[in-house]
Amino acid sequence: QVQLVESGGGLVQAGGSLRLSCAVSGSRLSINIMGWYRQFPGKQRELVATVTTGGIADYEPSVKGRFTISRDNAKNTVYLQMNNLKPEDTAVYYCTARGLRDGMFNFGSWGQGTQVTVSS
């Protein structure tokens, strides 16, 4: 079993900042891609940002320059620093990770989701 536990969501005013964290646990993990998605009410989950083991990041255009994704490979943890938040960033944010567990079994797992609400 691979578990992802998120933290850091909450309520913030427009222009403010939040930092999301997601810790991944499991047996003998080798994590390739870590990332964050978000889901607006009544919409499908959409990509926010991803980061590779080597630290190469990719962003959805609307968050580029405002959000920064990073990871600590020693802690199997991914972060999302969100600055200059806008009301349209209000959503449930999910972390995701893909790789191998126990050296041989592919996994792709999701966190439980954390609510981010930006007030105007």
Side-chain angles (χ1 to χ4, degrees):
Q1 292 281 357
V2 177
Q3 290 188 321
L4 283 68
V5 178
E6 302 162 2
S7 59
L11 173 65
V12 65
Q13 288 189 332
S17 298
L18 283 174
R19 188 190 193 212
L20 306 183
S21 300
C22 175
V24 185
S25 62
S27 175
R28 295 167 52 201
L29 297 178
S30 176
I31 303 172
N32 296 327
I33 298 290
M34 305 183 86
W36 292 92
Y37 282 66
R38 62 186 178 185
Q39 189 167 19
F40 302 110
K43 302 289 187 181
Q44 287 194 334
R45 211 169 285 187
E46 66 175 41
L47 176 69
V48 176
T50 59
V51 62
T52 67
T53 306
I56 298 173
D58 191 27
Y59 297 93
E60 194 273 328
S62 71
V63 308
K64 209 166 187 178
R66 300 188 297 123
F67 292 9
T68 302
I69 189 170
S70 61
R71 60 190 283 175
D72 184 332
N73 292 326
K75 296 181 179 179
N76 286 338
T77 299
V78 62
Y79 306 95
L80 186 67
Q81 177 67 44
M82 303 184 293
N83 298 329
N84 190 22
L85 281 159
K86 304 176 180 181
E88 52 264 40
D89 294 317
T90 296
V92 178
Y93 285 71
Y94 296 88
C95 67
T96 184
R98 298 201 307 269
L100 290 177
R101 66 168 177 83
D102 294 312
M104 59 188 293
F105 300 106
N106 289 308
F107 78 89
S109 299
W110 294 89
Q112 78 281 5
T114 185
Q115 177 70 46
V116 171
T117 303
V118 185
S119 63
S120 57

